[in-house]
Amino acid sequence: MRNDTPTPITRRQALRVGAALWLAPALAAQAQHGGHEAAAASAPRTARRPRPPLGMGAALAPDGALWVVMLDSTGRLQLQTSTDLGRHWTAPRPLDTAGDPVSADGENHPKIAFGRGGQVVVAYTQPLARPNTGQVRLLRSTDAGASFAPPVTVHRDRQVITHRFESIAFDARGVLHVVWIDKRDLEAAQAAGQAYAGAAIYRNESADGGASFGPDLKVADHSCECCRIALAPTPEGGVAAMWRHVWPVNLRDHAFARLGGTGDASAPAARGAGPVRASQDGWVVQGCPHHGPGLAPAADGGWHAVWFGVRDGQPGVRHGRLDAAGAPHGNARLLPDAAADHASVATLGPRVAIVWRGFDGEATRWRAWLSEDDGARFTLRELGHSRAENDHPRLVSDGHRVLALWRLADEGVRVVQVL
């Protein structure tokens, strides 16, 4: 069976080839977002040093300590904590993945989340033998991270296909939600000689902190193949998701859905409804941009969202408001940085933080856009810069503060409190 995951392109590469390339879908499909064969044919024949696997996950523990999970220089998954905004870190502590290799790029990186009663979970994608395949694995602790059980596969489908780009979150009931990109429906369609665009979004739930999981539930067909999934809490105590979707035909705008409980009639699959279209860029491109969205609740209802897209020929990262159903509300606006990529958003009541990185031709700049009035006005803040290889910027919150994190190859993790 074929695997049609397109070759991703970074925002930095897109800026180098110029806006003209973004405006030509045929060229974009070949040079930016095409299949592996097209990319290989058009790629320069010069060798390029592999990028270090700097993707990390982070979360604030119930006691306020900052925890990060990432790969060390030998490819082992490790855990570190800090109680002083990253000025000092505990010694790296290896986590036993039973020999699993771990994906740790920017869009598909390890994640960590805290539940009730000392529950801690670490999720990651284990790459499998076929290219662009994997399974979602989970480490769980019931003693506040003092020890972790051996890794388990969270989904029931065990085909050697794509189960990747997972996101995790505990809801207000203490239920763990795992959401991932899945290609079982693409594989079935290809076997039947039928067309199928993109992949699918699947999820499941665990009511016991990852000790067991319910059935695999399809959220939506036709997701983009390799963009991260954003999760955010709902006002009712549940979880909402936003992802890049493949709308007819190859229109790569975003989709939104609330993730109801197992059997919940509010879930899209349960009520026979499709997801809500959450962005209106109208970007038609044959391939995956490898650039997922961010999502956070708004103080006056609805959501704050950030995403990359091309609208009316203008590429860029935008901030927009979504209504309570997840549909666009008002006008989206470009971030104040033409080079911005891989933005994240977090909120504390009416306070909003958006962080991103952007390459200016010499160094990568780390910036924040901050609002005190639910996004009516923003102030730009410079957080730092570096010439080293670096991870996507991250935001973490415990409901009392918001921290921005940025991992650099030459100095480790920088931390700045932004809210």
Side-chain angles (χ1 to χ4, degrees), residues 182-366:
D182 193 300
K183 285 193 172 179
R184 71 186 73 179
D185 299 288
L186 169 65
E187 297 279 347
Q190 290 178 341
Q194 300 171 351
Y196 189 96
I201 301 295
Y202 272 76
R203 70 179 186 93
N204 60 19
E205 299 177 3
S206 173
D208 50 19
S212 63
F213 287 89
D216 299 352
L217 302 172
K218 180 159 56 176
V219 178
D221 286 298
H222 311 307
S223 72
C224 208
E225 301 92 333
C226 50
C227 291
R228 74 189 185 206
I229 304 165
L231 300 181
T234 68
E236 301 80 20
V239 176
M242 182 178 176
W243 65 92
R244 190 180 296 277
H245 199 72
V246 185
W247 305 92
V249 174
N250 285 322
L251 195 154
R252 303 266 170 163
D253 278 347
H254 293 80
F256 173 96
R258 292 173 183 257
L259 308 179
T262 301
D264 188 340
S266 68
R271 65 178 188 266
V276 176
R277 185 168 167 182
S279 65
Q280 296 283 349
D281 293 336
W283 185 21
V284 176
V285 62
Q286 176 63 46
C288 179
H290 210 67
H291 204 307
L295 184 70
D300 61 357
W303 315 88
H304 290 275
V306 291
W307 67 90
F308 174 77
V310 178
R311 177 179 295 194
D312 297 327
Q314 186 173 24
V317 177
R318 290 170 170 83
H319 163 258
R321 291 289 302 271
L322 310 181
D323 65 19
H329 177 68
N331 295 322
R333 49 186 157 178
L334 287 164
L335 301 191
D337 182 352
D341 74 48
H342 293 98
S344 293
V345 60
T347 55
L348 283 180
R351 306 175 72 195
V352 184
I354 300 171
V355 299
W356 67 90
R357 66 178 185 181
F359 185 65
D360 66 5
E362 296 183 358
T364 304
R365 299 197 172 275
W366 182 32

Side-chain angles (χ1 to χ4, degrees), residues 12 49 51-52 54 386-391 407-410:
R12 185 183 302 183
R49 182 182 63 186
R51 291 185 175 180
L54 296 175
S386 176
R387 287 182 168 83
E389 293 281 2
N390 55 84
D391 184 27
R407 187 184 182 193
L408 306 173
D410 61 351

Side-chain angles (χ1 to χ4, degrees), residues 3-22:
N3 189 292
D4 294 327
T5 299
T7 300
I9 185 169
T10 66
R11 175 78 169 118
R12 185 183 302 183
Q13 290 168 332
L15 289 168
R16 285 174 177 170
V17 298
L21 193 57
W22 289 100

Side-chain angles (χ1 to χ4, degrees), residues 50-272:
R51 291 185 175 180
L54 296 175
M56 71 171 186
L60 286 164
D63 65 0
L66 175 62
W67 292 40
V68 297
V69 287
M70 53 194 171
L71 300 189
D72 65 15
S73 60
T74 68
R76 295 184 306 171
L77 188 64
Q78 67 176 30
L79 167 68
Q80 288 185 268
T81 67
S82 173
T83 58
D84 58 4
L85 295 178
R87 288 185 287 274
H88 302 90
W89 293 92
T90 58
R93 173 184 160 197
L95 298 178
D96 187 359
T97 63
D100 292 349
V102 176
S103 292
D105 62 37
E107 290 284 281
N108 192 18
H109 56 90
K111 290 92 179 175
I112 185 168
F114 293 92
R116 297 175 174 174
Q119 294 176 343
V120 189
V121 295
V122 175
Y124 59 88
T125 294
Q126 174 196 0
L128 299 177
R130 288 175 55 198
N132 305 303
T133 64
Q135 57 185 0
V136 180
R137 304 275 276 170
L138 189 89
L139 302 171
R140 63 181 293 267
S141 172
T142 58
D143 54 12
S147 64
F148 285 86
V152 297
T153 301
V154 307
H155 40 83
R156 297 186 181 182
D157 183 76
R158 300 301 172 89
Q159 299 177 76
V160 182
I161 61 172
T162 290
H163 313 89
R164 304 165 67 211
F165 298 93
E166 75 287 340
S167 289
I168 58 173
F170 283 94
D171 67 19
R173 300 173 296 154
V175 173
L176 173 64
H177 297 255
V178 184
V179 191
W180 66 91
I181 294 175
D182 193 300
K183 285 193 172 179
R184 71 186 73 179
D185 299 288
L186 169 65
E187 297 279 347
Q190 290 178 341
Q194 300 171 351
Y196 189 96
I201 301 295
Y202 272 76
R203 70 179 186 93
N204 60 19
E205 299 177 3
S206 173
D208 50 19
S212 63
F213 287 89
D216 299 352
L217 302 172
K218 180 159 56 176
V219 178
D221 286 298
H222 311 307
S223 72
C224 208
E225 301 92 333
C226 50
C227 291
R228 74 189 185 206
I229 304 165
L231 300 181
T234 68
E236 301 80 20
V239 176
M242 182 178 176
W243 65 92
R244 190 180 296 277
H245 199 72
V246 185
W247 305 92
V249 174
N250 285 322
L251 195 154
R252 303 266 170 163
D253 278 347
H254 293 80
F256 173 96
R258 292 173 183 257
L259 308 179
T262 301
D264 188 340
S266 68
R271 65 178 188 266

